[in-house]
Structures are given as structure tokens and as C-alpha cells.
Amino acid sequence: MASLPSVAVTRTPKSESEFRKYSASFLPSEKSPSVSYQRSTQLDGVSEARCLDFREALSFIREGTKVESAFYVPILQECIDKKLVSDAQKIHAHIVKTGAHKDAFLMTFLVNVYAKCGTMETARKVFDELPRRNVVSWTTLMTGYVHDSKPELAVQVFREMLEAGAYPTNYTLGTALSASSDLHSKELGKQIHGYSIKYRIEFDASIGNSLCSLYSKCGSLECAVKAFRRIRDKNVISWTTVISAWGDNGEAATGLQFFVEMLSECVEPNEFTLTSALSLCCVMQSLDIGTQIHSLTIKLGFESNLPIKNSIMYLYLKCGWIHEAKKLFDEMETISLVTWNAMIAGHARMMDFAKDDLAAHQCGTEALSIFLKLNRSGMKPDLFTFSSVLSVCSSLVALEQGEQVHAQTIKTGFLSDVVVGTALVNMYNKCGSIERASKAFVEMSIRTLISWTSMITGYAQNGQPQQALLLFEDMRLAGVRPNKITFVGVLSACSHAGMVDEALDYFQMMKNEYKITPVMDHYACLIDMFVRLGRLDEAFDFIKEMDLEPNEFIWSILIAGCRSQGKLELGFYAAEQLLNLKPKDTETYNLLLNMYLSAGKWKEVSRVRKMMKEEKLGRLKDWSWISIKDKIYSFKRNARSHAQSGEMYELLGNLHEKAKSFGYEWEESLEVTDEEEDADEEKALTSIVYHSEKLAIAFGLLNTSNAVPIRVTKSISMCRDCHNFIRIISLLSAREIIIRDSKRLHKFINGHCSCGDFGTLI
DNA sequence: CTAGGGTTAG
């Protein structure tokens, strides 16, 4: 995208906030006490004076002096800002005592105070006792319910209001529209749209803005844009809403185009527009435009705006500009919980974009240490924090940290949140603790599509395909509509169980009953299934018949199957197809190399090596991690630098000997890893290559009690030899061993693995 | 009294 058009900066300092509007209505009389109560307009950092003034004003009220209504407003505003419900109650009592409660305007404001503080029962009570009701009081109550996530009550109040014969304003209808959009009810929204026509305010910006946002939330992007186009005087909010609408519906690039259009129409963006635009850059990972918007925010005078700083920091994290992000973070003199959350979530997202698993692991570890700092800072984590942290624990297979977070969510009451609950279910699933996952799932009071999908996938990944399918039927009975991700779980369950007929039935159900277009992952599950069953020809037929061009992953599955079943001809064909795709992944090349090496095809070996050089691919990095208590230990292939290295190798040696009597035979894997690193680690000491997961397991066996499973993550796929060996270790040591490698989860129990022994490509 | 920054499943 081209550069942004430049904006003429004619910015005046931001005017005093909302309370001025109110206080202007209450002209102070001469009898008012002469306390000068100046509310600071600074967003960040509460000055001491301001606190003092607030306390002074409060003590003045406590003394019981009769004051003018105007005196209460700024103090109540402070109660709103800081959610000081008990102070508000004291003021309320004072108002009643001195007879000021006859002032309908003041009491309406009090409804607003209780509503904003999230105490809707009291707000409703004050509202019911109002001497006079007007549109503002009705609207205030509605807004309160919307903010309190009770849109159905907001709609009920709206009905009451209409029955009472009050005329709604643009604000009322706007709020009613927000309620409909929270209810995801396009129908209700349309009815309210009708009212706006009836009251002749349909072209009003606030109506159009709310309509735009409603349609966007209901997934009707086209209607949203239409609503935007119909607005007569588009204001900055209209633009912000439509820009976000594009972004929320997966069209970030067009959203940015609208942002540019807005600038070229000389509408000056505000902080909300800028944060929206920045979040679009986040989605697109566009540092280029992001940095331009960053400078625009400075030009427009928002450099000290906290939400904007948070967004920029998050953007830099997501684009992997970790040092810039850290610099911003360190330079911030005031930070909010959102800042912490953005840091944690940013590191969590960076795990997905990290160049390899080693880097990803470091991001995750960093995220956990940021969470620790947040807890120490005295600030209280919220549902956003917990969801992110739990997802980090899942990725790291850090069960013990996850358990601690679980305890904290119970203590703080955030476990009742669906998203947190789902993240918890997912954490236990990813740590291979299926029993606790299912317990957490059962205990949820509400379940979303994502919760069901997470649990179904969990069963599939943990080697309980039957349970996965049963749960899928429960989900359908509960009236929850599966999406394409749910079907990835269902199909992979069938694949694991080798249930060909069921798999094909579910595939048809997905296409016909749910009208879901298959994506690559669905085909991958089915092809994987045929390969597992040794039905390579059928797998190949399926590849030929599918509507999508097979990708690297599909060919890799086929090659792995061909290799293990000695069908070299088909394997070579698949390899040619794979090479044409010029994969960017070291592991994929490694698979090819191994296939050609074991077949003695030296010409192809050197060709693959050459291609790897051309693609500037590094060597495989074989790292494993194990999390014990609140520490994560890392192990590199053949490493001998650990304090316990001696014991670890001794233990492994013994286990190797014992394993032989169980039919285990050393099987050399021809892998290409970092040769220099191997040389460093005194490879010459032994002819056996110790892959990193063996070391991690040995460390785990030495340092954990017999009762707990051993949980390891690994940066690349396990090789067949390690897989065979670990299967036997699980038998010999009577320990459950859970390994998540770069491809899948392996849960070894009593000599068996949940992947059905088809989880290894090398 | 309408708008914003941070969250979960492959």
C-alpha cells in the first residue's frame, strides 16, 4: 500500500470531559460551598491534589452541610471513574437526607453512577423511585444493562419506555441497537431501524453508526457498509465503526483503505480510529503502515494516550519487533492492566510466528515471567490475562503453572467466564490431562462452540476417538452448530480410530448438512487415515480427487506412509510433487533427505541439499523442554552440560540395555542437524545419538515423583527410534510420558502411544 | 447516555 496522505494538523487540546456537560446544567448558586473542585483532565496518572480534593469534597458532604446539586456531580463522576460504589452510596444517603433527591436530574445522574459501577440492582431501584422519568433516565438505565452484559434487560426497558409513551431519541435507539447487536439479533435491529424511520432520525449519524456496528457484528458486512453509506453527516465515529467492521469481518486490508479514504476526506481520526487502524495493521502484520500510523498518532498529539500506546506495543510484538515493544513498555510511566495483558498476549502470539520452536518457547517463557511480574506489581489480573496465560501454559505444556493459574481463577472468580473456562479445558487437553480437561468442561455453566470444539479435539488428540465422537453428538443435541474447526477434530478422531465409513459420513454431513466447504486440514485427516490403514492407493486417489491443490503437508503424509511401507515408487512421485512446491520448512526437507538416503538415491540427496541451501534453510534444531514445578528446563541433542548429565546418561544407558529384552533394537535415523553444534557437544564420546527428548525424559525421571506423568515438548518431530524407545520406557518405568512434538501429541502409557504408532515421520 | 486497546478451539 502507498503512503498515507498527510493530514493538516489543526488540533486543539481535548476539551474537558463529559462531566462539563452535566455540570453546565447545574449553575452553582451563591450559597454553594467554596470548595474549588477541579477535575484533572489527564487520562494517566492521578495527581495527588486531585485525590485530596476528592477526599475534601467527600468529607464536606459527610459533615452533613446542605449543598447545591451541582456540587455532587463532579464527585459522583469521580466515583464513576474509580468505581467507588461505597462512596457513591454515602453521597446517595446524603442526597436523600438533605432532600436533594427531589431533583430528577441529579437522581438520573445517580442512576448513571450505579449503572457505570456495575451495580444495576441499585440503579434500577433509584430509577424506580425517580420523581420524574424522561428519555435520558430511560436511556441511562438501558445503557447500564448493555454495559452489564444484560442486553435482554436493556431491550425490556426499551419496551417499557415505549409503553410508557416516551419518545426515543437517537441515543435511545443507538443503545437499543447496541443491545440487539449484543444479542446478535439482526431482526430486532431491523425493527429498531424501523423506529428510527418513524421518528425521522434514520439518517442521524448515531443511528447509522449503531446500525453499521450491529450489521458488522451479525456478520453482514455488506449491510454494515450500506448503513455507513446512508449516513448523511458522517462523523469520525461513523468512519471508525466502518473501519472496524471491515477488520472484524476479516477484511483488514479494505479497512485500511477506508482509513486512507477517511484521511483524504479530511476527517481527523481520533484515538479510537487510530487504535482500530493499528489493530488492522496487527492482523495484517504490517509494520510498514503501522509505523506510519505511529507517527501520525504523535503528530495528532496522542503520544501519551495509553490505549494507543498499548496498541502500538502490541503491534510491534505481533510483528516480532520485540526490542521496540520492550522499549515502549519500559518507557511508559503509567501502565494499565491492558498494557500487561497486551504484553502477555503479544508474547503468546509471537509464539505462533517465531522462526522456530526454540524461539517460540522463549516467547512463552517470557510471557509467563511477565505474568509473574504483573502479580507482583499488585495489579489484579482479569479474564483477558487468565485466558492468555492459560493459552501460554497450553503451548508450553506447563501443567504445574497451569494448575496454579487454575487455582487463581477459582480464587478470583474468573473461572466462571466462558473464555477462561475454555482456555482451561484447552490447557488440560494440551498437557495430556484429559480427565481434568473433561472435569473442567463438565463444570462449565455455559459452553460456546469453541469450548465444545476444544474438548472434542482434546479427546481426538489424546487417543480417545470414541469419546470425541460421542461428545460431538452431545454437542449437536445441545443445538450448537459445528464449524470447520469442529470437523477437523471429528475427522481426526475418525482417522485415529481407523473408522473409514464414519469419517466419510461425517465429511458428507459437513458438506451437505452444514454447508461447510472442506479445507486442507479436512483432507489431511482423511488422507492420514488411509495412510495409517496402509491403504496408500486410496489415499492417493483421494489426493487426486480433492478440490484443492495438495500442499506440502499432504505430500508429507503420503511420503511418510510410503516410506514405512516400502512403496518407494509412489514415495518418489510424491517427493517430486513436494519439491515442486519449494517447501520452506526444514523438517519437510529432512523427510525427503531421509527417504532418499535410505533408498541410496545419492543424486537426489545432493539435489535436496542444494535446494535447502537455496532456500536459506538452517539445520534442524533438536531441542526439548520439560516443566517441573515453576521452572522450565531445556535440553539440546547430546548435551552434557547439565549438572545431572552424568546420572542422566547412566540412566539412559541402563534403560537401553533393559529395553533390548523387550525387543527394542537401536535404529539409526539419518537426520541432518546442526553438525557444528553436535561437534561441540563431544559427540565422539558415544556412537549413539541422544535426541533431546531422551535427555528431558531422563531428567524428568530423576527429578519427579513416580506418581506424576512426565511432560515434554520438542521442537521437531520425534524419530521412529525414539518413539519405539520411549514406548518401552513407559512400560519399564510404569510412568505416563507425554510428548508434544512439532506435529502432534504422543501419550505413552504401558508401552502404547496415543498416536497409534503413526506419529513419526522420520 | 452511542465508539476504543487486551481473551479461548485447527
Side-chain angles (χ1 to χ4, degrees):
Chain A
M1 186 188 277
S3 308
L4 302 171
S6 62
V7 186
V9 182
T10 53
R11 195 174 175 80
T12 45
K14 214 172 160 19
S15 59
E16 299 271 334
S17 47
E18 294 288 9
F19 91 100
R20 282 275 175 213
K21 282 192 215 156
Y22 281 95
S23 42
S25 336
F26 303 98
L27 288 174
S29 80
E30 283 152 31
K31 274 181 276 171
S32 280
S34 60
V35 177
S36 72
Y37 184 85
Q38 276 292 323
R39 191 167 169 271
S40 162
T41 48
Q42 289 257 310
L43 266 171
D44 315 325
V46 181
S47 64
E48 289 220 3
R50 186 178 159 192
C51 287
L52 201 71
D53 281 352
F54 174 69
R55 288 290 147 208
E56 266 176 34
L58 207 62
S59 69
F60 200 89
I61 281 174
R62 284 214 190 97
E63 282 163 23
T65 323
K66 194 172 159 72
V67 292
E68 281 296 314
S69 299
F71 185 78
Y72 294 111
V73 174
I75 309 169
L76 286 172
Q77 182 67 51
E78 188 88 20
C79 295
I80 295 179
D81 291 352
K82 295 200 179 153
K83 304 260 185 294
L84 304 169
V85 187
S86 59
D87 283 330
Q89 281 167 342
K90 279 172 201 145
I91 299 166
H92 184 179
H94 189 272
I95 290 173
V96 173
K97 217 164 80 186
T98 56
H101 64 289
K102 294 198 178 85
D103 184 336
F105 218 115
L106 180 61
M107 294 314 279
T108 297
F109 194 71
L110 201 59
V111 175
N112 185 28
V113 174
Y114 284 122
K116 281 278 171 62
C117 292
T119 42
M120 282 312 292
E121 294 83 12
T122 326
R124 178 79 216 204
K125 232 180 113 211
V126 177
F127 174 83
D128 286 336
E129 289 163 5
L130 279 180
R132 253 179 312 118
R133 292 170 180 183
N134 61 12
V135 209
V136 177
S137 43
W138 285 107
T139 310
T140 304
L141 193 65
M142 283 170 62
T143 316
Y145 281 127
V146 171
H147 278 159
D148 203 30
S149 316
K150 300 205 168 57
E152 65 288 344
L153 289 179
V155 175
Q156 196 186 310
V157 172
F158 180 59
R159 293 217 168 94
E160 279 178 54
M161 173 188 155
L162 292 177
E163 277 160 22
Y167 288 98
T169 65
N170 49 356
Y171 282 118
T172 322
L173 295 184
T175 307
L177 284 168
S178 313
S180 339
S181 96
D182 288 346
L183 291 166
H184 290 271
S185 173
K186 203 170 152 183
E187 288 315 304
L188 189 62
K190 278 182 178 164
Q191 286 180 39
I192 295 160
H193 192 177
Y195 279 110
S196 74
I197 298 169
K198 185 174 162 193
Y199 293 105
R200 293 167 198 284
I201 42 180
E202 56 171 317
F203 297 109
D204 187 274
S206 55
I207 299 289
N209 298 348
S210 299
L211 273 173
C212 180
S213 141
L214 165 85
Y215 288 131
S216 162
K217 227 177 241 162
C218 296
S220 316
L221 182 58
E222 220 175 291
C223 294
V225 177
K226 222 182 259 172
F228 167 77
R229 295 279 182 218
R230 283 169 66 90
I231 301 169
R232 220 166 252 165
D233 293 305
K234 297 179 185 62
N235 58 23
V236 65
I237 301 171
S238 324
W239 283 100
T240 308
T241 310
V242 80
I243 290 167
S244 316
W246 286 107
D248 293 342
N249 288 281
E251 302 276 347
T254 321
L256 280 176
Q257 278 171 27
F258 268 66
F259 180 65
V260 173
E261 192 183 327
M262 167 186 176
L263 295 182
S264 55
E265 291 200 5
C266 292
V267 180
E268 192 179 306
N270 64 14
E271 66 231 79
F272 301 115
T273 329
L274 292 165
T275 41
S276 298
L278 283 166
S279 80
L280 296 183
C281 298
C282 238
V283 175
M284 298 183 59
Q285 305 238 344
S286 173
L287 259 181
D288 180 35
I289 304 171
T291 43
Q292 288 184 59
I293 296 178
H294 187 177
S295 29
L296 184 61
T297 62
I298 295 169
K299 248 204 246 173
L300 293 172
F302 288 112
E303 68 263 60
S304 59
N305 180 288
L306 191 52
I308 289 184
K309 278 203 280 193
N310 288 339
S311 315
I312 294 170
M313 195 186 74
Y314 188 58
L315 169 73
Y316 288 168
L317 278 177
K318 262 196 78 176
C319 295
W321 251 21
I322 186 153
H323 294 295
E324 287 296 316
K326 257 190 107 76
K327 210 177 127 220
L328 278 176
F329 180 75
D330 292 338
E331 283 169 359
M332 285 161 84
E333 62 287 346
T334 338
I335 55 170
S336 64
L337 183 57
V338 177
T339 318
W340 286 109
N341 289 348
M343 277 299 270
I344 294 168
H347 279 84
R349 301 307 319 256
M350 268 176 60
M351 295 180 76
D352 303 335
F353 301 111
K355 65 177 195 308
D356 54 40
D357 235 53
L358 175 58
H361 227 274
Q362 284 161 349
C363 288
T365 314
E366 180 63 18
L368 289 185
S369 87
I370 295 168
F371 175 63
L372 219 66
K373 280 185 202 150
L374 157 62
N375 270 329
R376 288 205 199 104
S377 80
M379 227 181 259
K380 296 267 171 276
D382 69 356
L383 64 159
F384 291 101
T385 328
F386 288 128
S387 328
S388 295
V389 170
L390 285 169
S391 111
V392 172
C393 293
S394 324
S395 313
L396 293 176
V397 194
L399 180 70
E400 291 185 54
Q401 276 106 325
E403 281 171 334
Q404 284 173 28
V405 179
H406 182 182
Q408 216 182 334
T409 60
I410 296 171
K411 251 187 255 163
T412 51
F414 283 110
L415 186 56
S416 56
D417 180 79
V418 213
V419 178
V420 175
T422 305
L424 186 74
V425 168
N426 189 47
M427 186 275 291
Y428 281 129
N429 274 329
K430 289 288 145 60
C431 290
S433 185
I434 192 82
E435 299 81 10
R436 268 177 289 182
S438 107
K439 189 164 176 281
F441 179 77
V442 169
E443 284 170 359
M444 289 174 82
S445 52
I446 319 163
R447 292 171 201 93
T448 62
L449 164 66
I450 300 180
S451 326
W452 287 98
T453 305
S454 182
M455 196 62 224
I456 290 168
T457 311
Y459 277 127
Q461 288 172 340
N462 280 280
Q464 299 191 18
Q466 305 289 354
Q467 290 294 334
L469 297 177
L470 285 174
L471 195 66
F472 177 66
E473 292 309 328
D474 285 348
M475 170 184 163
R476 300 207 312 146
L477 284 174
V480 179
R481 196 185 164 82
N483 69 2
K484 62 175 182 194
I485 299 168
T486 321
F487 275 103
V488 174
V490 170
L491 293 177
S492 85
C494 295
S495 160
H496 278 249
M499 296 159 63
V500 177
D501 294 338
E502 286 83 351
L504 295 175
D505 284 348
Y506 280 122
F507 190 57
Q508 290 306 321
M509 177 201 282
M510 175 180 92
K511 290 195 288 188
N512 302 333
E513 193 177 331
Y514 293 103
K515 311 279 173 224
I516 297 170
T517 318
V519 295
M520 201 60 82
D521 287 344
H522 299 130
Y523 288 116
C525 290
L526 295 170
I527 291 159
D528 185 53
M529 173 181 69
F530 285 121
V531 170
R532 275 164 183 276
L533 295 170
R535 290 153 70 167
L536 290 173
D537 295 332
E538 280 164 276
F540 189 43
D541 288 342
F542 218 91
I543 293 176
K544 284 188 284 196
E545 277 168 28
M546 60 193 240
D547 296 329
L548 299 166
E549 274 304 308
N551 66 3
E552 300 169 27
F553 186 53
I554 299 281
W555 292 123
S556 301
I557 298 170
L558 191 64
I559 293 170
C562 292
R563 227 198 120 205
S564 69
Q565 287 163 39
K567 297 220 174 180
L568 291 180
E569 211 169 309
L570 186 55
F572 293 147
Y573 172 80
E576 284 304 318
Q577 306 306 311
L578 182 54
L579 284 169
N580 286 338
L581 294 173
K582 297 209 175 210
K584 296 272 175 283
D585 170 47
T586 315
E587 275 204 81
T588 308
Y589 280 109
N590 201 50
L591 171 70
L592 284 171
L593 272 181
N594 279 300
M595 188 183 72
Y596 287 133
L597 277 169
S598 49
K601 295 253 177 190
W602 308 112
K603 231 172 82 188
E604 273 71 21
V605 169
S606 60
R607 190 174 130 218
V608 174
R609 285 225 161 102
K610 210 176 125 219
M611 280 184 76
M612 288 178 81
K613 256 188 202 141
E614 283 167 10
E615 296 291 334
K616 294 201 174 68
L617 287 172
R619 305 272 183 175
L620 275 185
K621 283 198 169 60
D622 175 13
W623 282 81
S624 287
W625 296 269
I626 185 168
S627 164
I628 296 175
K629 297 242 163 61
D630 49 4
K631 269 201 83 169
I632 292 169
Y633 302 86
S634 50
F635 299 89
K636 199 166 69 171
R637 173 175 302 188
N638 291 333
R640 292 184 175 270
S641 51
H642 275 266
Q644 286 177 294
S645 282
E647 292 165 76
M648 283 155 57
Y649 280 93
E650 200 188 321
L651 178 61
L652 284 174
N654 290 339
L655 287 169
H656 265 127
E657 282 308 311
K658 280 190 197 158
K660 280 182 189 161
S661 57
F662 284 83
Y664 167 74
E665 258 179 76
W666 168 256
E667 182 183 341
E668 195 181 357
S669 65
L670 303 154
E671 292 160 69
V672 187
T673 54
D674 202 312
E675 285 156 6
E676 281 170 53
E677 280 185 43
D678 282 357
D680 285 349
E681 296 292 345
E682 304 156 63
K683 192 185 175 185
L685 279 176
T686 168
S687 58
I688 297 176
V689 180
Y690 284 97
H691 288 167
S692 60
E693 66 270 40
K694 286 189 186 172
L695 300 178
I697 289 170
F699 185 80
L701 287 170
L702 288 171
N703 293 292
T704 56
S705 83
N706 282 332
V708 292
I710 288 175
R711 293 184 167 77
V712 170
T713 41
K714 181 171 162 67
S715 62
I716 53 176
S717 305
M718 294 178 74
C719 71
R720 200 157 47 192
D721 176 66
C722 285
H723 199 269
N724 288 338
F725 180 61
I726 293 163
R727 250 188 12 216
I728 294 165
I729 293 188
S730 76
L731 193 65
L732 283 174
S733 61
R735 287 286 280 267
E736 199 174 316
I737 300 174
I738 296 155
I739 300 187
R740 217 188 50 223
D741 68 14
S742 61
K743 291 281 186 303
R744 67 184 82 217
L745 188 84
H746 305 267
K747 193 169 175 175
F748 299 91
I749 304 172
N750 286 329
H752 296 283
C753 177
S754 63
C755 79
D757 289 342
F758 194 80
T760 49
L761 291 177
I762 298 165

